[in-house]
Amino acid sequence: MRLDWQELFKLLESNDHFIVTCHVHPDGDAIGSLLAIGFLLKKWRKNFQLICSEGVPTVYSYLEGSELVKKERDPLITPQVLISVDCAEKDRCALASEIWDVSGLIIVNIDHHVTNTGFGSLNLINPQAAATGEVIYHLFSKAGFDFDSSVATALYTAVATDTGFFRYSNTSAFTLELVSVLVKKYGIEPSKIAEQVHEQKSYQAIRLLGEVLCTLQVGIGGKVAWMVLDQPMISKYQVENEETEGYVNYARSIEGVEIGILFKELRTNEIKLSWRSSISVDVSKLAANFGGGGHARAAGCTINGPVDQVVNDVLQFVTEYYRAR
Ligand code: 5GP
Ligand code: MN
């Protein structure tokens, strides 16, 4: 995939005030990529702000530089360039929408979502990349940016989390070569990062998982499994949003299941769906039908309506999808 790195280098050279953001409900790829770009701008002695409206999820606070991420931008500084990482749509950028009114703002869109709308003035999108962190690794190679172990940790976290620690089908030979360099050259310890991300769960998050698993159902000829996380459960256990991120994988991991769905009631009549799939189904297309998007194997969307009705409507739609195949 040919990306116009030269155009990006020109923008980096000729501007001084940058703002960097990622997608809402940030994951490891979003935060790792955000910090990696921050390190690059620091090295190039640029003025920059790293913005994520929800802050950095606690699970990623081990990343150096995470304390630099702010929830709101400084209104006294007018940015010249906005760099968006890991975000497929303008509306999903994790910063106040008044940013789009800044006159003359140049938008650089660095991403790997196949559903990316190309909202940037410059779009550096590689849907073949396992993670945005992988796209940024390319950028660093092209720029000859010799980074250090903090950057390597951010990139490793980005790539590891988006590949399910190298289990998903987006894991390529290049992904493994890249992480091999991070381990060999920068001393990254994969076991430590895996422990930070996966072995520090709160007691409450595991108890809540127990309740969510009790809602698990399988249908549509054993091909689809789904679970519900509703508001009463959320308020009972009070766990951070990202702690529930992995729940959907239990649905997907059942033998014979091709699609796993978690229905999460964000608030009354607002249901967030996490879709996960095996090799035979592209869930980004199914999520797109409901105004969402993502990747072939992991996608999301939000649907308005009572949870029971949303579950019924979605299962009806998936039934039709299988009937039409
Ligand atoms: P998750 O289920 O973990 O929230 O999201 C899975 C993937 O789908 C991520 O890559 C995420 O960025 C994307 N995604 C989640 N929700 C939405 C959505 O509402 N719209 C779009 N375009 N992508 C989404
Ligand atoms: Mn990503």
Side-chain angles (χ1 to χ4, degrees):
M1 169 114 348
R2 289 185 62 80
L3 300 179
D4 199 350
W5 299 119
Q6 292 312 320
E7 190 57 33
L8 177 62
F9 298 148
K10 272 191 238 159
L11 283 177
L12 289 172
E13 266 165 29
S14 55
N15 292 282
D16 277 319
H17 289 282
F18 292 79
I19 187 158
V20 193
T21 193
C22 59
H23 64 76
V24 287
H25 310 312
D27 53 18
D29 190 25
I31 298 295
S33 298
L34 181 71
L35 295 176
I37 294 291
F39 286 119
L40 177 75
L41 293 171
K42 187 172 170 206
K43 179 96 173 187
W44 284 28
R45 297 176 187 281
K46 299 292 175 180
N47 292 302
F48 66 92
Q49 302 180 62
L50 304 180
I51 308 295
C52 177
S53 49
E54 291 144 290
V56 174
T58 312
V59 63
Y60 301 119
S61 58
Y62 67 89
L63 292 171
E64 242 178 81
S66 56
E67 69 286 353
L68 299 176
V69 179
K70 303 285 182 251
K71 291 185 178 175
E72 286 170 17
R73 76 179 182 99
D74 180 346
L76 300 176
I77 304 171
T78 306
Q80 297 164 301
V81 180
L82 168 76
I83 303 180
S84 162
V85 294
D86 200 36
C87 184
E89 292 159 33
K90 209 170 166 177
D91 289 350
R92 283 179 49 79
C93 284
L95 80 183
S97 59
E98 50 78 32
I99 190 74
W100 310 114
D101 302 331
V102 173
S103 80
L105 185 72
I106 300 164
I107 299 158
V108 178
N109 175 7
I110 304 179
D111 191 26
H112 71 129
H113 288 90
V114 67
T115 54
N116 193 294
T117 57
F119 60 87
S121 334
L122 174 62
N123 297 293
L124 300 164
I125 298 153
N126 181 0
Q128 266 92 53
T132 300
E134 206 174 289
V135 184
I136 293 173
Y137 179 84
H138 259 296
L139 158 66
F140 289 177
S141 314
K142 294 277 175 197
F145 174 39
D146 190 20
F147 49 88
D148 60 14
S149 67
S150 347
V151 184
T153 306
L155 291 177
Y156 186 95
T157 299
V159 174
T161 53
D162 255 26
T163 56
F165 284 75
F166 317 107
R167 285 178 299 132
Y168 304 153
S169 58
N170 57 352
T171 309
S172 67
F174 179 77
T175 311
L176 297 173
E177 278 166 30
L178 179 169
V179 296
S180 161
V181 172
L182 299 180
V183 171
K184 215 177 338 185
K185 190 166 170 196
Y186 301 97
I188 296 304
E189 291 182 63
S191 64
K192 276 205 177 148
I193 297 182
E195 193 183 326
Q196 290 279 6
V197 176
H198 287 299
E199 315 286 326
Q200 307 280 334
K201 298 213 167 39
S202 66
Y203 175 55
Q204 292 297 77
I206 301 298
R207 302 257 302 162
L208 174 57
L209 171 63
E211 287 214 18
V212 173
L213 286 175
C214 288
T215 72
L216 177 68
Q217 292 188 66
V218 175
I220 315 186
K223 289 191 164 62
V224 182
W226 65 94
M227 305 187 298
V228 175
L229 170 52
D230 63 17
Q231 270 302 320
M233 294 182 208
I234 293 171
S235 42
K236 184 170 165 194
Y237 292 97
Q238 305 270 331
V239 307
E240 276 193 64
N241 190 47
E242 79 273 6
E243 288 211 89
T244 63
E245 239 171 41
Y247 290 3
V248 62
N249 294 320
Y250 288 93
R252 231 300 294 137
S253 66
I254 300 165
E255 189 182 12
V257 165
E258 295 178 353
I259 303 176
I261 312 171
L262 175 70
F263 294 87
K264 183 173 179 182
E265 188 178 30
L266 298 179
R267 50 186 75 83
T268 309
N269 292 334
E270 191 179 335
I271 317 300
K272 159 81 207 269
L273 276 72
S274 282
W275 300 77
R276 298 293 183 271
S277 70
S278 62
I279 216 89
S280 55
V281 180
D282 179 350
V283 281
S284 75
K285 292 196 178 129
L286 300 181
N289 180 71
F290 297 99
H295 307 287
R297 309 283 155 256
C301 62
T302 301
I303 304 176
N304 294 325
V307 68
D308 292 346
Q309 191 194 315
V310 170
V311 172
N312 278 332
D313 291 352
V314 168
L315 293 175
Q316 186 65 40
F317 173 75
V318 178
T319 303
E320 292 300 327
Y321 162 82
Y322 273 106
R323 217 173 264 155
R325 276 217 308 179

